[in-house]
Amino acid sequence: MSPYAVQAETPLRVALIMTGPITDGAWAQLAYEGLAELDKRPEFDTGYAENVSQANLVQVVQGYADDGYDLIIGHGYEFGSAFVEIAPDYPDQRFFASTFKPESDIPDNTRYIDMAYFDAAYGAGVLAALLSKKGKAVGFVGGGDNPTQQRMMSTFIGGAEATRPGLTGMGIVTGEYDNASKGSEASAAMIARGADVIWHGANVTGLGAIQGAVAQGATVLGCYSDQTGVAPEAMATSFVMNLGWMVEVVAQSVVDGTFEGGSEWQPPVTEMWSLHAGAAGDHNPDIVSDEIWTQFQTVWRGLGDGSIDVETLVK
């Protein structure tokens, strides 16, 4: 049995710490919903903190650790390096950060995750290209100017351009996640250059990108949560991150004694992400033809089983 297994008769105490609000409709809320599901089960005892500032992050994490929580989940890249520093002081507890591992050598009671952002972005680029009526261009609107958003942009462009030769993939990383106006401006700029399908990775900025694109007649793809309700007549599908599932799986691994400390979890894109279009199911058939969906699904399955390797396709 793993040294980190928790006795079945003792509820596992799980704390989820978030830098945003649990009402954000996406990143924090989806993770919190997973925690809420755990709280319904007798083998778990949960707590959470929302809207935690960068300045208070370490103090909040240490507070939950000092209170005896068995598993502390830091939701976001902000927790990556912080856990490397904090975790060694609490060797009998486990720490999970929903971000890439910050360095090759990490404490053996921490775990990180590669959330298949880039496979999802490549798939979104493929679908955007297939949906483009003009066949001229498609666009991506990014949030914070960081390596993840930059790489999402490049893989989206790579997927689009590999799917339809002659089509141009465009992208604008706005530098902000919470500025709807900037998102709208970014999508408008790309539509003016010929783009007719827009995807984003930018939270509130992305909602602005959707609204701006729809106002100019473009087709849109959602990201992180099912955003069909934002633009029901123009949303082909949403690429939804299964963050609640992630929280539940990590917590269960501690109960089962299978928590793999000192490692980075790499679930396939077809587990980490799912496709939703409200009541229509996984896509809107009024926007996506059966032929296009079949073509896209072939690529999506290839990304999931590893037969399509984005790392070798997009530099």
Side-chain angles (χ1 to χ4, degrees), residues 160-303:
E161 294 184 345
T163 301
R164 287 181 73 168
L167 177 142
T168 299
M170 301 178 182
I172 296 175
V173 174
T174 63
E176 296 188 42
Y177 287 109
D178 298 307
N179 191 322
S181 294
K182 276 197 171 183
S184 182
E185 292 168 3
S187 61
M190 290 185 286
I191 291 169
R193 293 164 55 199
D196 60 354
V197 183
I198 299 292
W199 188 55
H200 76 89
N203 300 342
V204 174
T205 302
L207 294 178
I210 290 171
Q211 292 164 343
V214 170
Q216 299 192 53
T219 298
V220 291
L221 301 170
C223 190
Y224 304 133
S225 62
D226 185 353
Q227 297 176 327
T228 302
V230 180
E233 304 301 319
M235 185 75 66
T237 190
S238 289
F239 288 74
V240 177
M241 290 194 83
N242 298 325
L243 296 172
W245 167 83
M246 175 192 74
V247 168
E248 293 183 66
V249 169
V250 170
Q252 188 63 47
S253 76
V254 179
V255 171
D256 296 342
T258 57
F259 180 87
E260 296 182 18
S263 70
E264 181 181 80
W265 180 22
Q266 297 180 330
V269 67
T270 46
E271 289 185 1
M272 191 67 240
W273 297 74
S274 54
L275 302 155
H276 296 273
D282 57 6
H283 68 285
N284 183 342
D286 293 334
I287 299 173
V288 188
S289 69
D290 290 344
E291 180 182 1
I292 286 175
W293 193 248
T294 298
Q295 288 180 266
F296 166 69
Q297 283 292 302
T298 298
V299 174
W300 190 244
R301 287 192 295 270
L303 292 166

Side-chain angles (χ1 to χ4, degrees), residues 14-302:
V14 182
L16 175 65
I17 303 173
M18 300 157 284
T19 57
I22 61 172
T23 56
D24 66 1
W27 179 254
Q29 182 172 328
L30 293 174
Y32 173 76
E33 288 172 357
L35 189 78
E37 287 300 313
L38 291 176
D39 200 47
K40 297 176 182 178
R41 298 163 55 184
E43 63 266 42
F44 296 101
D45 178 22
T46 69
Y48 72 93
E50 60 180 323
N51 292 316
V52 176
S53 69
Q54 187 77 44
N56 293 329
L57 187 149
V58 170
Q59 180 181 358
V60 172
V61 171
Q62 290 174 329
Y64 277 97
D66 290 336
D67 284 345
Y69 278 82
D70 302 294
L71 170 65
I72 297 173
I73 299 174
H75 191 37
Y77 73 91
E78 300 92 344
F79 296 88
S81 297
F83 279 2
V84 170
E85 300 299 321
I86 297 169
D89 294 332
Y90 301 91
D92 296 326
Q93 291 155 278
R94 276 73 71 206
F95 297 81
F96 176 83
S98 56
T99 186
F100 301 101
K101 65 179 182 179
E103 51 193 70
S104 58
D105 187 15
I106 56 177
D108 63 6
N109 60 337
T110 64
R111 197 177 190 197
Y112 295 85
I113 183 170
D114 176 347
M115 292 194 282
Y117 285 110
F118 311 135
D119 284 346
Y122 189 90
V126 169
L127 182 56
L130 291 171
L131 289 171
S132 176
K133 294 178 180 178
K134 297 178 182 177
K136 183 176 181 181
V138 297
F140 168 80
V141 177
D145 190 3
N146 57 59
T148 298
Q149 289 286 299
Q150 292 287 347
R151 181 68 175 165
M152 287 178 74
M153 179 173 68
S154 65
T155 48
F156 172 86
I157 291 170
E161 294 184 345
T163 301
R164 287 181 73 168
L167 177 142
T168 299
M170 301 178 182
I172 296 175
V173 174
T174 63
E176 296 188 42
Y177 287 109
D178 298 307
N179 191 322
S181 294
K182 276 197 171 183
S184 182
E185 292 168 3
S187 61
M190 290 185 286
I191 291 169
R193 293 164 55 199
D196 60 354
V197 183
I198 299 292
W199 188 55
H200 76 89
N203 300 342
V204 174
T205 302
L207 294 178
I210 290 171
Q211 292 164 343
V214 170
Q216 299 192 53
T219 298
V220 291
L221 301 170
C223 190
Y224 304 133
S225 62
D226 185 353
Q227 297 176 327
T228 302
V230 180
E233 304 301 319
M235 185 75 66
T237 190
S238 289
F239 288 74
V240 177
M241 290 194 83
N242 298 325
L243 296 172
W245 167 83
M246 175 192 74
V247 168
E248 293 183 66
V249 169
V250 170
Q252 188 63 47
S253 76
V254 179
V255 171
D256 296 342
T258 57
F259 180 87
E260 296 182 18
S263 70
E264 181 181 80
W265 180 22
Q266 297 180 330
V269 67
T270 46
E271 289 185 1
M272 191 67 240
W273 297 74
S274 54
L275 302 155
H276 296 273
D282 57 6
H283 68 285
N284 183 342
D286 293 334
I287 299 173
V288 188
S289 69
D290 290 344
E291 180 182 1
I292 286 175
W293 193 248
T294 298
Q295 288 180 266
F296 166 69
Q297 283 292 302
T298 298
V299 174
W300 190 244
R301 287 192 295 270

